[in-house]
Amino acid sequence: MMVTVAVIGGGPAGSTLGAIIKRYSPKTEVLILEREAFPRDHVGESQLPNVCAVLAEMGAWDKVERAGFPIKIGATYRWGRTDDLWDFEFYPAHKFIDEPRPARYQGQRTQTAFQVDRAAYDKILLDHARELGCHVREQSKVVEVVRSGDRVQGLVLDGGEVVQAKYYVDASGNSGLLRRAMGVEIDEPSSLRNVAFWEYWRNAEWAVTVGKGATKVQVMSLGYGWLWFIPLGPDRTSVGLVCPAEYAKKSGKKPRDLYLESVRNDARIGPLMRHATSEGKFYTTKDWSFVAQRLTGENWFLCGECAGFADPILAAGLTLAQTAARHLAYTIIALERGKLDAEWLKRHYDETQRKRIGQHIRFADFWYTANGVFTDVKEHTSRIAADTGLDLEPDLAFQWLGTGGFMNDNPFFASIGEYNITAIKQVMQMFLGKPSEWAIGKNNVFKLNLDGAKRGFVPILHEGRIIQEPCFEREGRILPGVGIFKVLTDILSVEHRVAYINQQLQERMRGLFGDLAQAVDAALQCLEAMIQEGWVVASFNPREPLLPYRTGEQTEGMHPNWDGALPNVTVAAALRSAGQFETNA
């Protein structure tokens, strides 16, 4: 059987890849080989908002929305060194407005996500890829990868059939079938070795209901690990325990006994489970973070969890998988068109996705240090830096952890995955109990520094085409020549004083977002990132004013838990009777 693209795995990465290729290049033959029959359960149900943008682009938003999955506006945490509850919200709970469902992908829904029942969600996406023209073969297992050097020659199926393709994609999840066959090594930058135990439950209460169909994931630290509580629908909930493998072993308890004890004894999760019944199947897996040393070969690619895995504390699994699949789909379409350099296309896919995974691993490690798993947060960040080849003192390592890599992820904004620079500084402030420093808050002279930089190009993915936009490159860091970064580069090329910078931002950022203040705030975050990564040298002149705007203060996005005091948030009866909100509202 001959096709253009052969994909191993029909999960979200494989189906997203196939759907986007068929949307923009309908004549391209795509074969998706899935070893199981859908639907089937799978862990990793909690999304981040970026996934919804991908769903909209591939034409699957309406189908997913019609499934009625709970709307995720954020998460409630008990984390760090106190028992206080705090929230991280994509969209403020008190501003969320009830609207009929299914709803369109617009307004407030562009800033929310879903909590999905993976059995239903994965089938929706795979069926959607099939409807768009992908050849989908379920219960079709790849038993051998035929290779010659770094080139894949074919895939042998369990029935003896051989599939040949121009491009091969491994989207097989933790199986990593093609990755292993091609001898690709993995790096494990994290010293965390966790295991996860979970079950699906019927009739657990939602901790909170925002409006009629929105809620928040619950993430509760136990000291020795943490619990997740993710409503997947009106009467089905995923509840899991993550803890170090060594702790589980030394506890002397059977995995399910340890799991049930942790769930039932938790002051917040336990009451929600008082009328719940288990579906009767207990799941366990290791969730050790890793990233593959390369994601491309002569005619093959890695995509999704087989390319790397970040600890689930940040709920990044589906986001990393589906945004990578989108990038790879654009890459393959561009390779077929033949107008851009093939090695440049593959290099950017490889570097971008490995950096994204690595950044999530690094940031997840910080979350665990702040939870008291390690005795000294800063000392541990120094060890994290050492794992990536950097010999930094604890204070410098801590700064690197919170500010590195913001401009390699998104050429338009300063972010790592879903987390912009403000959000990350807020997390650090919450964990450390003291304000995070902002270079733009204590300096007022900002000089552009392009010394030693070379000109290059960054790929912009737009409506099925990769557009080459200019950038500067230096020591593995990128200064994009598009969006807000271009605005700032143009301004600082003329003048470095605050008065001029502020006046230019007022003029150039108007209309870029919903309001000018939001636009300028985004620009200041980009300026902060440029300072942290060496593209701007900041200093203070006592004769000059400071910037009139401040970013990084506590915002509605991260705050103490207010659910008990919000009129449009219904607190579970179980929690009210247990007195959980009287002390935390």
Side-chain angles (χ1 to χ4, degrees):
M1 185 175 184
M2 285 289 299
V3 294
T4 308
V5 185
V7 185
I8 307 173
S15 54
T16 299
L17 172 74
I20 291 181
I21 289 177
K22 294 300 288 186
R23 179 186 174 187
Y24 294 120
S25 182
K27 293 183 179 180
T28 300
E29 287 189 297
V30 180
L31 171 66
I32 300 176
L33 301 166
E34 170 53 49
R35 68 182 180 183
E36 298 186 57
F38 282 22
R40 53 89 179 99
D41 279 319
H42 201 284
V43 74
E45 303 100 345
S46 187
Q47 296 183 345
L48 302 176
N50 271 1
V51 171
C52 292
V54 178
L55 293 174
E57 181 175 6
M58 61 192 279
W61 161 269
D62 289 341
K63 295 176 181 177
V64 175
E65 169 67 1
R66 281 198 299 270
F69 298 124
I71 300 169
K72 177 184 176 183
I73 66 166
T76 296
Y77 293 88
R78 184 183 67 228
W79 199 263
R81 304 179 190 277
T82 76
D83 290 332
D84 295 339
L85 299 178
W86 54 276
D87 291 340
F88 191 103
E89 294 179 341
F90 308 135
Y91 193 84
H94 71 279
K95 290 185 177 180
F96 187 82
I97 300 173
D98 274 334
E99 56 185 350
R101 297 188 69 185
R104 294 183 178 181
Y105 181 67
Q106 61 185 19
Q108 65 182 8
R109 296 303 302 280
T110 64
Q111 299 179 54
T112 63
F114 292 107
Q115 294 164 202
V116 297
D117 185 324
R118 287 289 299 276
Y121 179 76
D122 291 12
K123 180 170 173 53
I124 290 171
L125 297 192
L126 188 60
D127 288 347
H128 180 69
R130 183 187 280 116
E131 290 173 17
L132 289 179
C134 292
H135 303 293
V136 176
R137 295 175 57 171
E138 298 179 61
Q139 293 182 298
S140 189
K141 184 178 181 181
V142 176
V143 295
E144 182 184 356
V145 176
V146 182
R147 59 174 292 191
S148 176
D150 195 42
R151 188 172 186 83
V152 177
Q153 302 281 56
L155 305 175
V156 181
L157 307 185
D158 51 2
E161 184 179 3
V162 177
V163 172
Q164 292 184 315
K166 189 172 182 179
Y167 308 102
Y168 298 85
V169 177
D170 187 350
S172 64
N174 59 16
S175 298
L177 195 148
L178 190 148
R179 185 195 76 221
R180 298 174 193 273
M182 301 309 291
V184 178
E185 299 293 331
I186 63 172
D187 294 324
E188 298 183 40
S190 174
S191 57
L192 298 171
R193 295 290 184 269
N194 289 333
V195 290
F197 309 124
W198 73 98
E199 288 187 48
Y200 297 99
W201 297 79
R202 295 288 177 177
N203 300 316
E205 290 189 69
W206 290 13
V208 295
T209 303
V210 184
K212 295 177 181 177
T215 186
K216 286 183 280 192
V217 169
Q218 307 293 303
V219 176
M220 299 291 118
S221 171
L222 303 171
Y224 58 85
W226 59 277
L227 295 171
W228 79 66
F229 182 92
I230 307 173
L232 307 178
D235 67 345
R236 194 173 196 235
T237 302
S238 173
V239 183
L241 165 67
V242 177
C243 68
E246 189 66 18
Y247 176 88
K249 181 179 179 180
K250 288 183 177 180
S251 72
K253 300 172 183 175
K254 294 180 180 179
R256 191 165 190 267
D257 291 340
L258 176 62
Y259 165 79
L260 290 175
E261 179 182 291
S262 300
V263 172
R264 290 169 177 165
N265 292 342
D266 186 75
R268 186 165 175 83
I269 304 301
L272 302 174
M273 306 289 289
R274 60 185 179 180
H275 300 305
T277 56
S278 170
E279 291 186 351
K281 189 172 182 180
F282 181 68
Y283 300 85
T284 179
T285 187
K286 69 174 187 178
D287 63 358
W288 298 354
S289 298
F290 75 91
V291 60
Q293 291 183 354
R294 61 184 179 124
L295 308 189
T296 67
E298 284 191 29
N299 64 340
W300 56 267
F301 302 87
L302 308 182
C303 186
E305 192 175 315
C306 71
F309 176 81
D311 189 278
I313 186 62
L314 300 179
L318 282 173
T319 299
L320 290 171
Q322 292 188 251
T323 54
R326 174 180 182 262
H327 189 172
L328 181 54
Y330 272 76
T331 299
I332 291 175
I333 293 169
L335 288 170
E336 278 295 274
R337 287 179 176 145
K339 294 183 179 181
L340 298 175
D341 180 70
E343 291 306 311
W344 178 83
L345 289 167
K346 292 196 287 186
R347 175 172 65 86
H348 270 284
Y349 171 74
D350 175 88
E351 291 180 353
T352 299
Q353 300 310 322
R354 285 193 299 108
K355 284 177 181 177
R356 282 178 174 165
I357 298 166
Q359 287 162 344
H360 274 277
I361 292 172
R362 196 168 67 187
F363 197 33
D365 272 9
F366 173 69
W367 282 65
Y368 278 96
T369 64
N371 196 36
V373 174
F374 300 92
T375 56
D376 189 293
V377 174
K378 288 187 178 181
E379 287 292 343
H380 182 61
T381 58
S382 187
R383 292 194 292 272
I384 296 173
D387 287 341
T388 63
L390 296 176
D391 182 16
L392 299 177
E393 293 297 318
D395 284 346
L396 291 177
F398 189 73
Q399 181 185 35
W400 164 84
L401 176 70
T403 59
F406 287 97
M407 293 153 61
N408 292 326
D409 191 41
N410 186 326
F412 294 99
F413 303 102
S415 65
I416 294 178
E418 284 296 309
Y419 299 90
N420 62 29
I421 194 168
T422 298
I424 289 180
K425 285 179 179 287
Q426 286 177 338
V427 171
M428 296 173 71
Q429 177 174 322
M430 181 73 71
F431 287 161
L432 295 176
K434 62 180 182 180
S436 297
E437 287 192 352
W438 284 75
I440 59 173
K442 62 181 182 181
N443 296 290
N444 55 11
V445 178
F446 305 100
K447 295 183 178 180
L448 191 65
N449 174 26
L450 301 179
D451 293 348
K454 297 180 180 179
R455 293 186 179 273
F457 294 97
V458 291
I460 305 300
L461 282 54
H462 180 66
E463 295 184 351
R465 292 185 177 274
I466 292 182
I467 303 168
Q468 285 187 318
E469 292 288 356
C471 73
F472 289 99
E473 299 181 31
R474 182 174 59 202
E475 297 178 353
R477 297 185 184 272
I478 293 174
L479 174 59
V482 293
I484 297 174
F485 292 112
K486 184 180 189 307
V487 171
L488 286 168
T489 301
D490 289 346
I491 292 173
L492 297 178
S493 296
V494 176
E495 178 61 76
H496 55 260
R497 290 179 298 178
V498 161
Y500 178 80
I501 295 171
N502 183 55
Q503 178 259 327
Q504 287 294 307
L505 287 178
Q506 293 285 327
E507 293 181 6
R508 300 192 187 198
M509 300 301 293
R510 192 179 304 276
L512 192 60
F513 291 92
D515 59 71
L516 180 60
Q518 183 183 5
V520 173
D521 182 74
L524 294 180
Q525 292 186 54
C526 289
L527 178 59
E528 180 77 12
M530 292 171 70
I531 296 168
Q532 298 292 348
E533 301 201 8
W535 297 107
V536 171
V537 177
S539 59
F540 177 71
N541 184 342
R543 295 186 297 274
E544 296 284 340
L546 290 169
L547 281 166
Y549 292 89
R550 290 291 181 271
T551 189
E553 302 296 330
Q554 179 171 293
T555 70
E556 294 171 328
M558 174 172 285
H559 54 72
N561 180 262
W562 296 329
D563 288 337
L566 298 178
N568 62 334
V569 177
T570 302
V571 177
L575 293 181
R576 290 199 302 270
S577 64
Q580 294 298 301
F581 277 89
E582 283 72 14
T583 58
N584 290 297

